[in-house]
Amino acid sequence: MKNLPIFDLAVIAAYLVAMVLVGVYFSRKNKNADQFTKASGLIPGWATGLSIYATFLSSNTFLGVPGKAFGGNWNSFVFSLSMPLAAYMASRFFVPFYRQTGEISAYTHLEHRFGPWARTYAVVCFLLTQLARMGSIFLGIALSLQALTGFSMQMIMVVMGVCIIIYTVLGGMEAVIWTEVVQAVVKTFGALLILYLIVQAMPGGVTSIVDIGATHDKFSLGTFSPDFSQSSFWVVLLYGFFINLNNFGMDQNYIQRYHTTASAKEASKSLWLCVWLYVPASLLFFVIGSCLFAYYQVHPEFIDAIKQKVALDRLPATASAAEVARLVTSLQPADYGDKVMPHFMVTNVPPGLMGLIISAILSAAMSTISSGMNASATVFTEDIYKRYFNPNPSPKKLLALLHLSTVVVGVMGLAAGLAMIGVKSILDAWWTLSGIFAAGMLGLFLLGLISRRTTSHEALTATAIGVLVILWMTFSGNLPDEYGYLRNPLHSNMIIVVGTLTIFLIGVLLTKLKNGRSTPSEQTAAMAK
């Protein structure tokens, strides 16, 4: 960052210091586990809503969405269009359910419903999902700051990881929420500023952008044909509905926020505030991607430098110049879309504004990582430590464990980010991993909530079959050609859809078969349970 002007460095430093000071301020009130995990239920609904919005608007959105729009079209925006229906289901059924249980963990009720195995399975899936999420976000930070600073991605991840871990451990949930309120404003303003700078730099302005975008079909939402083997409108809509239903109904990041407000009504309001903010905000990032595509169509001479950088990142350090040149010529827009916005910032953002935009990117990452670390620490403490090791730890020991597990989760998320270096698309990587890990959780949760007669045996059988289906859909593409007929014919985004429905429908079917063979008295006893 030594290449940045002093003023920009001062803006970034001021932002980071302010976030840490907020953590220090709330650390004085952070004297017990209840305060650390749910801020004692004293947060206003509007602040919780902005916090949930900030968690959604991560660096995956900030960098991955413009990259997707640059390399393709607006097909992925259909994900956002599915949010209102998922939010309706959550506010109607899930929020009241969790508020009534009073349990801070989203997975405790699964043990009440099906036994310890169900709770443990959901916890493992959640923690793996969080590691995938945090890893992709750490990668997003590194992609942008590498272009802006010239430092290695590994160094950037480690330095930022340490800073975020310190800030999150200090703050607790109250600091997480109030810093995310600030971060929601900073990152939204940063996105608007980037859009303004692109339009200003574009010869012909908005008219030229629209003409180029329309010529190259950049505004398409995808094909409307019922084709589930490609990323059609319907595939993304189904994926978005199921993944958002999982977010609002099973993800500890959001369930935990429902307990930070004073009532279920306030919690529902916070959920809807997130939706009404995120849908237009995500559209803003697709617009940015299309604007960047138009800009680089007018200035194709800048693309070579971007391709060269992508090729060097993907090839080993020992690669020859000829190997680099061959890879450069084969790269398509989808291969280097994530690198385009950082390049534009380096070459077009004037001194004085770079610090603000970098702060916006940092806020996009910090908000999601900090909430994910807090939620993961809560799940580990409630669902693993207290369940299997010590059900009644002292308040002091419990708070220390929350701090320690927060650090451990942060380090593991950082390691996941380092492992993701070189992926083709941040957004694709996150969508694939989240679909794999979330499918089993959502199917099991819906089975327990809707099919009241289903017992542990049917649920376990259905989950085992569902996991096998998920594994087949995920890895069958690697089968050799002679076994090509065994490959999954559906798009990878359908994994969560098919996996969820497999567990739910097989569980319901097994329950009906069992009840059909049982006597009326046995059915009554099962319902009573």
Side-chain angles (χ1 to χ4, degrees):
M1 300 181 73
K2 61 186 179 181
N3 296 324
L4 291 175
I6 296 298
F7 181 78
D8 290 317
L9 288 171
V11 170
I12 297 168
Y15 169 76
L16 293 174
V17 169
M19 295 296 101
V20 172
L21 288 178
V22 171
V24 171
Y25 173 79
F26 285 109
S27 68
R28 298 180 302 173
K29 301 169 63 176
N30 233 350
K31 302 304 181 184
N32 56 65
D34 186 69
Q35 178 68 26
F36 187 88
T37 58
K38 58 181 181 180
S40 300
L42 300 176
I43 304 295
W46 65 266
T48 300
L50 283 174
S51 172
I52 298 174
Y53 161 70
T55 298
F56 252 101
L57 193 59
S58 67
S59 60
N60 288 347
T61 303
F62 217 99
L63 293 168
V65 167
K68 287 289 287 184
F70 180 92
N73 50 35
W74 288 6
N75 174 237
S76 298
F77 177 62
V78 180
F79 173 93
S80 302
L81 298 180
S82 71
M83 288 182 68
L85 180 56
Y88 170 78
M89 298 285 289
S91 62
R92 178 71 175 82
F93 301 106
F94 300 154
V95 173
F97 172 78
Y98 285 114
R99 293 287 304 199
Q100 288 170 8
T101 66
E103 294 167 337
I104 187 62
S105 169
Y107 313 115
T108 306
H109 74 281
L110 284 175
E111 179 170 0
H112 302 327
R113 187 70 181 81
F114 295 129
W117 71 266
R119 181 180 184 178
T120 303
Y121 170 74
V123 166
V124 171
C125 286
F126 169 75
L127 292 176
L128 289 174
T129 303
Q130 290 310 296
L131 292 179
R133 173 184 286 168
M134 287 190 285
S136 63
I137 291 168
F138 272 120
L139 177 61
I141 300 175
L143 278 171
S144 58
L145 296 189
Q146 181 193 40
L148 301 176
T149 66
F151 294 151
S152 71
M153 295 175 69
Q154 292 85 351
M155 179 184 294
I156 292 169
M157 285 192 196
V158 170
V159 172
M160 291 308 308
V162 170
C163 292
I164 295 171
I165 288 170
I166 293 173
Y167 140 75
T168 306
V169 171
L170 281 174
M173 179 53 75
E174 192 167 5
V176 167
I177 288 179
W178 286 112
T179 52
E180 285 182 337
V181 169
V182 176
Q183 290 161 351
V185 176
V186 171
K187 65 181 72 174
T188 303
F189 179 75
L192 290 170
L193 178 59
I194 291 172
L195 178 61
Y196 170 78
L197 292 173
I198 298 171
V199 173
Q200 286 294 105
M202 180 69 186
V206 174
T207 301
S208 180
I209 291 171
V210 172
D211 290 342
I212 293 174
T215 300
H216 292 84
D217 199 28
K218 304 304 290 186
F219 308 125
S220 170
L221 296 178
T223 176
F224 285 86
S225 65
D227 183 357
F228 298 97
S229 64
Q230 60 175 305
S231 186
S232 64
F233 177 92
W234 306 110
V235 165
V236 179
L237 186 68
L238 285 170
Y239 171 84
F241 173 72
F242 277 84
I243 202 72
N244 283 315
L245 198 62
N246 179 78
N247 288 336
F248 296 146
M250 280 293 292
D251 192 320
Q252 179 70 20
N253 281 290
Y254 306 98
I255 306 308
Q256 201 162 328
R257 313 295 175 86
Y258 301 159
H259 295 283
T260 63
T261 61
S263 66
K265 184 178 180 181
E266 284 292 299
S268 293
K269 285 182 178 179
S270 69
L271 187 58
W272 280 110
L273 177 60
C274 163
V275 171
W276 299 135
L277 288 174
Y278 184 79
V279 173
S282 65
L283 178 61
L284 171 63
F285 284 98
F286 280 99
V287 171
I288 288 174
S290 298
C291 291
L292 286 170
F293 179 83
Y295 175 82
Y296 284 98
Q297 285 292 113
V298 175
H299 298 287
E301 65 275 13
F302 297 142
I303 292 294
D304 288 339
I306 298 175
K307 289 183 176 181
Q308 189 79 12
K309 184 67 182 70
V310 171
L312 291 173
D313 286 341
R314 291 193 181 182
L315 292 172
T318 56
S320 65
E323 291 174 320
V324 173
R326 280 196 298 270
L327 181 56
V328 166
T329 58
S330 67
L331 292 175
Q332 300 298 315
D335 298 316
Y336 53 85
D338 289 340
K339 297 280 190 180
V340 170
M341 192 164 79
H343 179 272
F344 177 85
M345 292 167 60
V346 169
T347 55
N348 288 273
V349 175
L353 295 179
M354 183 68 79
L356 180 61
I357 293 177
I358 291 178
S359 297
I361 295 173
L362 290 175
S363 70
M366 292 170 66
S367 59
T368 306
I369 292 176
S370 62
S371 61
M373 289 168 58
N374 187 283
S376 298
T378 301
V379 165
F380 173 81
T381 303
E382 294 291 324
D383 296 298
I384 297 179
Y385 182 78
K386 291 175 69 174
R387 173 61 180 80
Y388 293 104
F389 298 101
N390 185 359
N392 296 301
S394 66
K396 184 177 180 180
K397 186 174 183 179
L398 186 60
L399 186 59
L401 181 63
L402 284 166
H403 289 158
L404 177 61
S405 53
T406 301
V407 174
V408 172
V409 170
V411 171
M412 293 177 68
L414 173 59
L418 293 170
M420 287 184 181
I421 292 176
V423 298
K424 179 178 177 180
S425 167
I426 300 174
L427 200 62
D428 282 343
W430 161 236
W431 279 20
T432 299
L433 292 171
S434 63
I436 293 169
F437 298 135
M441 284 196 296
L442 183 57
L444 184 60
F445 175 76
L446 293 177
L447 183 62
L449 191 66
I450 297 173
S451 181
R452 302 304 303 171
R453 294 186 179 185
T454 301
T455 64
S456 177
H457 177 73
E458 294 87 58
L460 179 58
T461 304
T463 301
I465 295 173
V467 168
L468 290 176
V469 170
I470 292 168
L471 292 174
W472 165 72
M473 294 186 69
T474 303
F475 299 109
S476 62
N478 297 324
L479 291 171
D481 291 339
E482 57 264 33
Y483 299 105
Y485 60 93
L486 294 176
R487 292 172 182 165
N488 169 30
L490 302 177
H491 190 273
S492 61
N493 286 348
M494 291 297 292
I495 293 174
I496 186 174
V497 179
V498 175
T500 298
L501 292 177
T502 297
I503 294 174
F504 176 73
L505 294 177
I506 288 180
V508 170
L509 177 61
L510 293 175
T511 302
K512 287 186 177 295
L513 291 174
K514 178 183 177 182
N515 289 335
R517 295 193 301 266
S518 62
T519 65
S521 61
E522 290 172 333
Q523 293 180 26
T524 302
M527 292 179 65
K529 292 180 182 179

